[in-house]
């Protein structure tokens, strides 16, 4: 498929094309960025929602319910489900689609599973670019699900419009353990599996903890929604909240302050991504690195030295 | 006596039982220091029943030879039933096809290609009447292996028996009806845990009152084992499910002695001969101890663990299927030494197809040879007192208790299922076994050793053709035309209302059955009230 | 950058025996593949739809219920209809040699029966993938 046709098909929400382009982006295909550049003017309309939380908190069930609810209100939903790649084999088991029973054949939903592919520490850009593709294709909401509450989640929260953090009644103590960064960025907290806390004892405790935290930082408290997603309870509240956020985004009223910082970060991370690929692809660079490997392994040279040498070498060859 | 010079000295390598228990070359009284024979062994027929439930064992009552059968249409299965009964089988066990097990009629879109392939296709009371045609249900013990829609099939069975002129008080048999192990292993579920448990309790209440000789639940470990669990896991998870049903019934207001004596069990009979025997003995002892001391049952019958056993399907091979006859025979023998109440022996061709007549015949004869020619039934628990066996029985009980605590700490069986606990345990065990076989640490004759380029024996294959599906669909359409439409709709609507409330659903299901409402129609009605189960994501 | 093999694993139809599927899933992951695990009770429509959204290279199905001919046929038909014939369709389960021939004629690639070591299927898929990439590179 030629690039022109691919772009046209993506804009027409052709599933094969969208899936293909996301793969190109994941695989660092050199054609991918030029295509994304062409699609960029069509992006900006979708609300990007980052959904994170501890394993077992019910994120997938919540996404299934929210997506169902949003499509019933004539909205289109793109979903990106992230799972960690094995640090040993590089492979991954992507099993979150199992929970999406109600929406897996819905014509207004697109679901894609992505492995972190080793980029646990730094920004995982593939998911961000996948969001761009879905945005350009015309999906109104893009739900990004990640596992756990670590650096990856903070990064995703950074480039999302809305950040939702999911907890369960028995995770009250972990509120303290949560990375401070996440607490700063989260817009909505969901306490799921409330069927286990019918008296709302734990819920109140969590809510108080969050309110105190926000107060201590001089911020308005984020909203806290009680939910029992498996039974559909509380889903309506979250759905409405997201629709309100979408309206705000489309009328330009969202993320005024963060926008500037975001745009700069966007540029820098694209540079980082493209630069590294291009640099390593230059003639002689991979070979040069390989030549130094045994010396570094034998501790005859430091990797810092080698990096310096290789970079100098690479920048010279213009 | 001279030793050949070419004979290799055997190396003392690490030896483990099939479930991973580390073993010594031999066992003696030192290994039984904490063992108290009066307390732990006792006598056959006496608490804690380690040696068996009856003082005379098989001398008084042989185990029931109950071969699992079912394929194609009700008519074809009925023919196989008659063949097996004429061959000397003493109880019936019915295998249903996948659409039936999942609550779909034969003409449902999802049933396409599946009708009659794994068991008999049952869509309505009409099919059940044909299934048991010429067989008086009050004369023969009947087992039905079905879980998700178990209560529906039960309703068909009761309605059929009444039409035959039987009194339902006289019906005896078993309904598998064990939904917990479906979520854990076999995966033929329909509704989520809450409503499923409600229906099971309804059924237990019904049979407790109206059918005192019928087992409303067969708490199963067979499938858990087949999914990859070890013997210890099978033992622990099964008993834990049993405890859960007891707790659910008590929550619903039943007294433990009202129903406990009719809870029955179903275990796998696998290849590690002695481990399996130890497993059955440990099972009886654990159940008796918990029922007496934890659940405070007073009636000794409430302490009895009665079980059906089936030889391990998963131990059979596609390569050199004739070897399966031997595997099955040894497995069956372990179940007999273990004191099973009822036994099914697999057919040699089960890795390829449903049992052919020849294979089914050999399987049944296997049991008859054991019962009549080997003398193992002359004495009860003949291996009792063996150092190894008693040590192993103790060990298995210990390991099971560790699992009980783990599961209770997770909040019980249902919570543990949602948390992915069982999935992980079973997948890990399955993976370990697979690796051992692929690395040749575990030998499977004909598969990773003693292979043959060309098979010697080509077993006859039972074919289920597309004709079966077409015949069944035709029959179903004719039934829908013939039946009293208004009555069908009415009974279904009343059922829906009852499902929304708290009434016991069984009488309503029986009414639907009598009105020839189909299995799929009833299941759909309940689906709309209860919803469908969605499994947790993979671990 | 080395491309990862993306493979979709599922059980179509009503059969629930997933012991083999679970083992294969883990083995494929350990072999460095990205496994989109759909699990049980999947309809042909859901399988094909997922295969396209996930842009997988391979679809691997497990069928032990005897319904394989019907199910594979439906899935191949849908893949053709949706322009996804490039995806390798393979699988395992209880499928007689005669039926395997019939499936091969339909367009299904190798079937891995009971007792086949998992590494055989891993090798098969890897070789197919390398060959396909070679062909694609030549085309460009």
């Amino acid at each position: 498929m030629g690039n022109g046709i691919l772009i046209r098909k993506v804009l027409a929400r052709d599933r094969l094309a969208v899936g293909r382009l996301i793969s190109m982006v994941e695989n660092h295909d050199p054609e991918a960025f030029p295509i994304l550049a062409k699609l960029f003017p069509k992006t900006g309309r979708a609300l990007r929602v980052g959904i994170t939380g501890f394993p077992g908190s019910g994120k997938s069930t919540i996404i299934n319910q929210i997506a169902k609810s949003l499509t019933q209100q004539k909205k289109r939903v793109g979903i990106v489900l992230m799972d960690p790649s094995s640090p040993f084999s590089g492979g991954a088991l992507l099993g979150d689609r199992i929970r999406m029973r109600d929406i897996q054949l819905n014509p207004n939903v697109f679901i894609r599973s992505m492995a972190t592919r080793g980029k646990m520490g730094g920004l995982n850009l593939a998911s961000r670019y996948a969001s761009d593709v879905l945005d350009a294709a015309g999906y109104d909401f893009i739900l990004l699900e990640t596992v756990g509450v670590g650096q990856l989640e903070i990064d995703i929260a950074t480039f999302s419009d809305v950040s939702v953090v999911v907890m369960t009644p028995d995770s009250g103590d972990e509120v303290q353990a949560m990375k401070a960064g996440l607490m700063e960025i989260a817009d909505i907290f969901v306490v799921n599996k409330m069927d286990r806390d019918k008296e709302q004892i734990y819920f109140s405790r969590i809510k108080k903890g969050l309110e105190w935290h926000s107060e201590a930082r001089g911020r308005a408290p984020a909203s806290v929604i009680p939910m029992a997603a498996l039974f559909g309870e509380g889903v309506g509240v979250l759905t409405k909240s997201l629709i309100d956020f979408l309206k705000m985004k489309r009328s330009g009223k969202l993320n005024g302050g963060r926008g500037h910082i975001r745009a700069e970060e966007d540029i820098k991370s694209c540079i980082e991504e493209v630069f590294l690929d291009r640099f390593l692809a230059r003639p002689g660079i991979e070979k040069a690195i390989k030549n130094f490997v045994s010396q570094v392994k034998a501790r005859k040279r430091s990797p810092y030295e080698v990096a310096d040498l290789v970079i100098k070498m690479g920048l010279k060859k213009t | 006596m001279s030793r050949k010079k070419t004979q290799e000295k055997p190396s003392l390598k690490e030896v483990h039982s099939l479930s991973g228990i580390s073993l010594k070359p031999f066992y003696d009284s030192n290994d039984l220091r904490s063992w108290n024979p009066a307390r732990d062994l006792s006598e056959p027929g006496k608490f804690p029943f380690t040696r068996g439930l009856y003082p005379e064992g098989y001398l008084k009552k042989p185990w029931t030879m109950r071969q699992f059968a079912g394929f194609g249409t009700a008519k074809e299965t009925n023919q196989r039933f008659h063949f097996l009964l004429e061959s000397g089988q003493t109880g019936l066990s019915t295998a249903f096809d996948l659409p039936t097990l999942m609550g779909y009629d034969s003409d449902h879109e999802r049933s396409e290609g599946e009708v009659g392939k794994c068991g008999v296709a049952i869509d309505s009371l009409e099919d059940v009447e044909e299934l048991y045609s010429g067989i008086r249900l009050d004369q023969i013990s009947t087992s039905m292996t079905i879980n998700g829609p178990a209560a529906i099939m039960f309703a068909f069975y009761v309605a059929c028996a009444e039409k035959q002129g039987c009194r339902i008080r006289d019906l005896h048999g078993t309904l598998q009806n064990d939904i917990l192990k479906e979520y854990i292993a076999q995966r033929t579920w329909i509704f989520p845990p809450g409503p499923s448990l409600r229906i099971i309790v309804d059924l237990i209440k019904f049979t407790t009152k109206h059918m005192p000789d019928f087992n409303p639940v067969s708490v199963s470990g067979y499938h858990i084992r087949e999914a990859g669990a070890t013997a210890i896991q099978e033992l622990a998870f099964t008993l834990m499910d049993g405890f859960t049903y007891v707790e659910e019934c008590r929550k619903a207001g039943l007294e433990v002695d009202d129903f406990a004596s009719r809870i029955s069990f179903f275990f796998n009979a696998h290849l590690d001969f002695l481990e399996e025997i130890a497993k059955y003995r440990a099972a009886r002892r654990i159940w008796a101890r918990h029922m007496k001391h934890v659940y405070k049952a007073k009636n000794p019958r409430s302490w009895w663990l009665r079980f059906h056993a089936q030889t391990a399907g998963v131990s059979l091979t596609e390569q050199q299927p004739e070897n399966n006859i031997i595997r099955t025979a040894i497995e069956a023998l372990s179940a007999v030494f273990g004191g099973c109440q009822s036994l099914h022996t697999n057919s040699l061709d089960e890795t390829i197809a449903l049992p052919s007549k020849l294979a089914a015949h050999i399987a049944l004869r296997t049991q008859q040879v054991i019962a009549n020619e080997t003398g193992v039934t002359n004495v009860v628990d003949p291996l009792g007192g063996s150092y190894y066996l008693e040590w192993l029985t103790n060990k298995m009980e210990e390991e099971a208790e560790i699992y009980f605590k783990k599961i209770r700490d997770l909040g019980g069986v249902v919570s543990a299922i949602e948390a992915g606990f069982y999935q992980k345990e079973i997948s890990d065990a399955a993976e370990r076994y697979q690796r051992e076989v692929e690395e040749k640490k575990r030998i499977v004759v004909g598969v990773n050793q003693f292979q043959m380029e060309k098979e010697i024996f080509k077993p006859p294959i039972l074919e289920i053709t597309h004709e079966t599906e077409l015949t069944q669909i035709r029959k179903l359409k004719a039934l829908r035309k013939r039946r009293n439409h208004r009555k069908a709709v009415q009974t279904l609507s009343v059922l829906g209302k009852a499902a929304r409330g708290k009434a016991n659903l069984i009488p309503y299901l029986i009414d639907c059955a009598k009105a020839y409402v189909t299995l799929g129609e009833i299941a759909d009605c309940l689906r709309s009230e209860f919803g469908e189960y969605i499994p947790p994501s993979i671990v | 950058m080395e491309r990862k093999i993306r493979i979709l694993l599922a059980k179509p139809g009503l059969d629930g025996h997933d012991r083999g599927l679970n083992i294969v899933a883990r083995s494929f992951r350990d072999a460095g593949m990205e496994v989109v695990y759909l699990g049980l009770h999947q309809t042909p429509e859901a399988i094909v739809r997922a295969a396209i959204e996930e842009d997988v290279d391979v679809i691997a199905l497990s069928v032990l219920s005897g319904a394989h001919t019907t199910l594979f046929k439906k899935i191949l038909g849908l893949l053709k209809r949706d322009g996804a014939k490039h995806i390798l369709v393979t699988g395992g389960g209880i499928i007689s040699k005669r039926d395997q021939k019939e499936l091969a004629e339909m367009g299904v690639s190798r079937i891995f029966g009971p007792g086949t070591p998992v590494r055989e299927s891993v090798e098969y898929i890897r070789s197919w993938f390398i060959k396909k990439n070679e062909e694609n590179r030549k085309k460009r």
Side-chain angles (χ1 to χ4, degrees):
Chain A
M1 208 186 303
N3 288 355
I5 299 175
L6 184 64
I7 290 172
R8 261 205 306 282
K9 284 195 164 186
V10 167
L11 292 172
R13 259 189 317 282
D14 175 281
R15 255 167 238 285
L16 201 65
V18 173
R20 188 63 62 75
L21 182 54
I22 293 178
S23 296
M24 286 173 71
V25 140
E26 258 196 310
N27 294 328
H28 292 226
D29 189 311
E31 304 283 315
F33 261 30
I35 294 177
L36 283 185
K38 285 217 173 72
L39 287 173
F40 189 75
K42 303 284 185 188
T43 65
R45 284 188 52 78
L47 186 77
R48 302 181 188 204
V49 185
I51 300 174
T52 86
F54 292 104
S57 53
K59 297 184 295 292
S60 304
T61 309
I62 292 175
I63 289 177
N64 180 50
Q65 296 282 40
I66 299 288
K68 195 166 66 169
S69 183
L70 289 171
T71 54
Q72 279 162 2
Q73 301 194 42
K74 306 276 194 290
K75 300 279 185 258
R76 295 196 194 98
V77 184
I79 300 171
V80 178
L81 306 166
M82 306 212 61
D83 269 312
S85 297
S86 158
F88 305 111
S89 69
L93 209 45
L94 310 170
D96 294 325
R97 283 188 81 115
I98 287 179
R99 288 295 223 183
M100 310 280 151
R101 289 279 155 154
D102 296 330
I103 49 168
Q104 61 182 358
L105 286 171
N106 188 311
N108 292 317
V109 174
F110 188 102
I111 305 171
R112 176 72 175 225
S113 313
M114 294 180 84
T116 53
R117 293 195 181 176
K119 295 222 170 109
M120 292 290 284
L123 274 175
N124 183 298
L125 298 171
S127 54
R128 185 240 239 69
Y129 301 141
S131 308
D132 282 344
V133 176
L134 292 169
D135 192 344
Y139 288 91
D140 302 301
F141 292 87
I142 297 160
L143 310 177
L144 283 126
E145 183 209 21
T146 66
V147 63
V149 278
Q151 185 61 41
L152 171 64
E153 288 61 39
I154 295 172
D155 294 334
I156 288 183
T158 314
F159 74 72
S160 298
D161 297 312
V162 180
S163 227
V164 178
V165 175
V166 183
M167 291 180 275
T168 52
D170 41 21
S171 66
D173 295 331
E174 283 131 352
V175 170
Q176 318 297 335
M178 256 196 250
K179 285 250 156 64
L182 203 58
M183 299 284 272
E184 316 272 286
I185 286 162
D187 302 292
I188 301 173
F189 287 94
V190 170
V191 184
N192 194 26
K193 305 202 180 180
M194 283 303 295
D195 46 303
R196 295 185 192 167
D197 184 28
K198 296 215 166 90
E199 318 290 308
Q200 297 212 342
I201 297 172
Y202 293 102
F203 178 77
S204 315
R205 208 184 289 171
I206 292 171
K207 190 153 185 261
K208 279 209 184 78
L210 291 168
E211 279 164 5
W212 173 88
H213 195 101
S214 309
E215 226 180 88
R217 275 161 174 70
R219 288 178 72 219
S223 53
V224 188
I225 302 176
M227 193 178 283
L230 205 56
F231 307 101
E233 289 162 25
V235 174
V237 177
L238 180 57
T239 310
K240 182 168 183 310
S241 196
L242 293 179
I243 291 181
D244 288 341
F245 272 112
L246 178 65
K247 285 199 187 104
M248 278 202 278
K249 167 144 191 179
R250 289 194 176 157
S251 53
K253 297 201 186 105
L254 195 65
N255 292 324
R258 269 145 75 171
H260 233 77
I261 302 170
R262 267 244 228 108
E264 185 174 339
E265 266 172 27
D266 278 352
I267 299 172
K268 284 193 177 149
S269 54
C270 282
I271 290 176
E272 181 187 325
E273 179 106 355
V274 176
F275 181 76
L276 192 62
D277 281 345
R278 276 202 207 152
F279 185 82
L280 290 174
R282 283 190 159 190
I285 296 296
E286 283 282 1
K287 192 158 166 231
I289 294 173
K290 281 201 166 59
N291 283 339
F292 286 116
V293 163
S294 45
Q295 292 183 48
V296 171
K297 186 172 167 195
R299 299 189 77 87
K300 293 214 175 93
R301 273 196 203 265
S302 77
Y304 315 108
E305 225 188 301
V306 171
D308 198 48
L309 284 166
V310 174
I311 290 174
K312 282 206 178 86
M313 201 178 95
L315 289 179
K316 238 191 259 171
K317 296 185 179 185
T318 8
Chain B
M1 182 182 92
S2 60
R3 228 194 289 161
K4 289 199 203 124
K5 290 210 175 80
T6 50
Q7 193 176 38
E8 277 180 7
K9 260 208 167 127
S11 56
L12 275 177
K13 53 184 171 117
E14 274 279 294
V15 178
H16 300 276
S17 72
L18 189 53
S19 65
I21 298 175
S22 188
L23 300 175
K24 304 193 303 184
F26 68 93
Y27 288 78
D28 57 26
S29 55
N30 292 317
D31 299 294
L32 294 178
R33 290 233 189 93
S34 62
W35 180 69
N36 178 339
R39 179 195 67 195
D40 302 326
L41 187 60
S42 184
E43 285 171 31
K46 287 210 174 119
F47 184 90
F49 308 105
T50 316
R51 310 199 72 178
L53 300 178
Y54 312 109
E56 302 100 327
Y58 295 127
L59 293 164
K60 185 165 182 201
K61 185 179 170 198
W63 69 85
T64 307
M65 298 186 185
R66 192 189 292 278
Q67 296 295 81
F68 192 38
F71 57 87
T73 58
K75 188 157 169 206
E76 290 168 277
T77 301
N78 177 264
Q79 283 166 357
R80 178 60 67 89
F81 279 169
H82 281 286
F83 167 69
L84 289 169
L85 288 170
E86 281 153 28
S87 300
Q89 173 165 300
T90 44
L92 289 179
S93 176
T94 319
F96 301 99
D97 69 3
L98 276 169
T100 305
L101 293 175
M102 296 297 290
Y104 295 110
D105 285 335
S106 301
D107 61 351
H108 193 280
E109 189 188 22
R110 301 193 71 168
S111 304
E112 195 183 339
E114 315 245 28
V115 177
K117 292 255 169 79
C118 290
V120 65
I122 299 289
D123 292 318
S124 72
L125 172 60
E126 184 185 52
D127 290 325
V128 176
E129 290 173 274
E130 247 183 70
L131 182 66
Y132 297 119
S133 158
I135 300 170
R136 281 282 300 199
L137 290 174
D138 56 0
Q139 308 277 313
I140 183 118
S141 170
T142 306
S143 174
M144 289 168 283
T145 302
I146 185 161
N147 297 275
I152 305 174
M153 190 59 65
F154 177 75
F156 288 166
Y157 167 75
V158 169
C160 177
E162 284 187 4
K163 279 196 110 178
Q164 283 185 354
C166 309
R167 290 187 315 158
I168 67 168
R169 288 209 83 76
D170 296 329
L171 295 177
H172 45 301
T174 304
L175 187 67
Q176 193 166 89
N177 197 25
D178 168 14
I179 200 69
L180 292 175
K181 67 100 171 49
E182 296 302 319
Y183 299 126
I184 292 170
Q186 182 163 239
R187 312 193 179 294
T188 54
W189 56 62
I190 306 180
F191 322 113
S196 300
L197 287 167
R198 175 252 177 109
I199 298 175
I200 291 174
V201 174
D202 280 354
L203 207 140
I204 293 176
K205 281 185 175 164
F206 184 89
T207 57
T208 298
K209 198 165 170 203
H210 302 286
M211 290 162 66
D213 290 329
F214 192 84
N215 303 316
V217 178
S218 175
V219 189
S220 309
Y222 178 82
H223 320 80
I224 298 177
R225 190 68 186 274
E226 295 285 296
T230 64
I232 294 170
Q233 289 166 338
E234 179 195 348
L235 176 66
F237 297 169
T238 308
L239 291 175
M240 200 65 213
D241 286 350
F243 299 147
T244 306
Y245 290 127
V246 170
E247 286 159 22
E248 287 297 311
C249 286
R250 284 167 97 207
K251 266 194 231 161
L254 288 170
E255 286 296 322
V256 68
D257 285 313
D258 287 341
F259 63 87
S261 64
R262 286 256 73 94
I263 292 187
S264 62
F265 289 81
F266 174 24
F267 286 111
N268 196 303
H270 216 295
L271 275 171
D272 189 324
F273 187 69
L274 291 151
E275 187 173 65
E276 294 300 290
I277 299 171
K279 178 185 82 187
Y280 306 127
R281 298 167 96 246
R284 271 194 298 270
R285 189 161 78 196
I286 296 172
W287 184 255
R289 285 179 169 163
H290 280 252
M291 289 310 287
K292 185 173 188 192
H293 301 308
V294 176
Y295 298 105
K296 311 283 189 223
K298 301 261 175 352
N299 183 346
R301 281 180 178 245
S302 301
W303 310 331
W304 288 5
L305 181 143
R306 297 168 302 118
F307 73 97
H308 169 80
Q310 173 167 340
T311 58
V314 85
S315 68
L316 305 181
T317 60
E318 190 199 24
Q319 296 81 351
Q320 299 171 37
E322 59 277 16
N323 298 338
N324 294 330
I325 299 174
I326 302 132
R327 295 187 176 103
T328 300
I330 293 173
E331 289 160 353
L333 193 61
S334 79
V336 168
F337 274 124
C340 65
Q341 275 60 54
S342 165
L343 178 63
H344 161 98
T345 31
N346 285 332
S347 300
L348 66 101
D349 51 2
E350 299 224 37
T351 45
I352 309 169
L354 289 182
S356 64
K357 212 165 171 190
L358 170 66
H361 151 87
I362 294 174
L364 182 58
R365 291 288 181 261
T366 304
Q367 292 196 45
Q368 290 159 337
V369 166
I370 293 176
N372 295 289
E373 298 183 17
T374 65
V376 299
T377 57
N378 293 338
V379 173
V380 185
D381 190 37
L383 299 181
S386 139
Y387 296 117
Y388 176 46
L389 185 64
E390 297 305 342
W391 174 85
L392 198 52
T393 305
N394 293 345
K395 186 88 175 111
M396 294 196 81
E397 183 178 8
E398 262 171 52
E399 296 288 326
E401 289 288 344
I402 293 174
Y403 268 118
F404 295 159
K405 180 162 192 317
K406 272 202 188 119
I407 297 166
R408 288 210 194 279
D409 285 346
L410 283 168
V413 174
V414 177
S415 301
I417 291 169
E418 272 301 303
F421 169 77
Y422 289 101
Q423 213 177 43
K424 184 157 201 316
E425 288 281 323
I426 296 171
S427 296
D428 283 351
E431 196 181 7
R432 238 177 294 136
Y433 177 82
Q434 183 69 18
R435 217 176 318 127
E436 284 174 6
V437 170
E438 294 200 10
E439 289 171 8
K440 287 205 177 174
K441 291 202 174 113
R442 193 165 287 289
I443 302 299
V444 181
V445 175
V447 173
N448 64 6
Q449 199 153 122
F450 309 116
Q451 295 118 315
M452 283 165 80
E453 271 298 313
K454 207 165 184 293
E455 298 281 333
I456 291 183
F457 174 58
K458 276 202 153 85
I461 309 273
L462 180 74
E463 296 248 17
I464 312 287
T465 64
H466 192 55
E467 258 317 298
T468 303
E469 190 166 324
L470 297 171
T471 307
Q472 188 66 16
I473 293 176
R474 263 197 305 267
K475 200 175 162 210
L476 186 55
K477 286 193 159 60
L479 174 77
R480 289 214 183 95
K481 273 212 189 94
R482 221 176 40 239
R483 69 182 174 186
N484 182 331
H485 184 73
R486 212 157 42 95
K487 191 106 222 287
V489 171
Q490 190 219 10
T491 52
L492 206 51
S493 150
V494 171
L495 173 70
K497 199 155 162 236
R500 283 190 286 279
K502 289 205 195 316
N504 190 315
L505 291 180
I506 308 303
Y508 297 98
L509 288 169
I510 297 176
D511 285 340
C512 287
K514 289 182 177 164
Y516 291 94
V517 182
T518 68
L519 184 111
E521 287 161 355
I522 299 175
D524 280 341
C525 168
L526 295 176
R527 271 186 189 100
S528 55
E529 300 302 332
F530 297 141
E532 285 187 314
Y533 178 67
I534 304 178
S537 302
I538 191 177
V539 164
Chain C
M1 180 185 232
E2 194 198 309
R3 274 200 60 200
K4 299 240 185 268
I5 302 176
R6 281 173 72 90
I7 176 164
L8 186 147
L9 244 50
K11 287 187 71 67
L14 302 175
D15 170 30
H17 294 90
D18 61 355
R19 172 177 180 161
L21 196 73
N22 282 341
I23 289 174
V24 168
R26 291 172 169 214
S27 302
F28 283 174
R29 178 211 44 204
D30 292 342
M33 303 185 197
E34 288 180 352
V35 179
V36 177
Y37 186 88
L38 281 193
L40 310 169
H41 309 146
Q42 293 297 320
T43 59
E45 289 78 12
I47 289 171
V48 172
R49 161 98 169 230
I52 290 173
E53 286 178 343
E54 302 285 354
D55 193 25
V56 299
D57 303 293
V58 183
I59 293 173
L61 305 170
S62 159
V63 189
L64 284 79
S65 61
H68 44 269
T69 312
T70 311
L71 294 167
F72 272 100
K73 197 179 199 174
K74 275 191 181 168
I75 289 166
L76 287 170
L78 290 171
L79 286 171
K80 188 170 173 205
R81 180 197 74 181
D82 294 343
K85 271 168 68 190
H86 58 279
I87 300 177
L88 179 76
V89 178
T90 176
I94 312 254
I95 302 173
S96 68
K97 293 271 182 302
R98 192 189 65 195
D99 285 353
Q100 286 182 32
K101 276 202 197 86
E102 194 186 337
L103 291 178
E105 277 156 29
M106 269 190 234
V108 178
S109 76
R110 233 185 101 177
I111 294 288
F112 299 90
T116 315
V118 185
R119 64 172 177 277
E120 252 182 67
S121 49
V122 170
E123 280 319 305
Y124 178 78
I125 290 171
R126 274 212 183 114
S127 325
W128 170 87
F129 186 71
I130 290 171
K131 211 166 83 180
K132 192 182 85 149
N133 281 347
E134 274 306 307
E135 285 168 12
N136 286 344
R137 215 171 297 153
K138 282 190 188 131
K139 275 190 201 156
R140 286 207 192 151

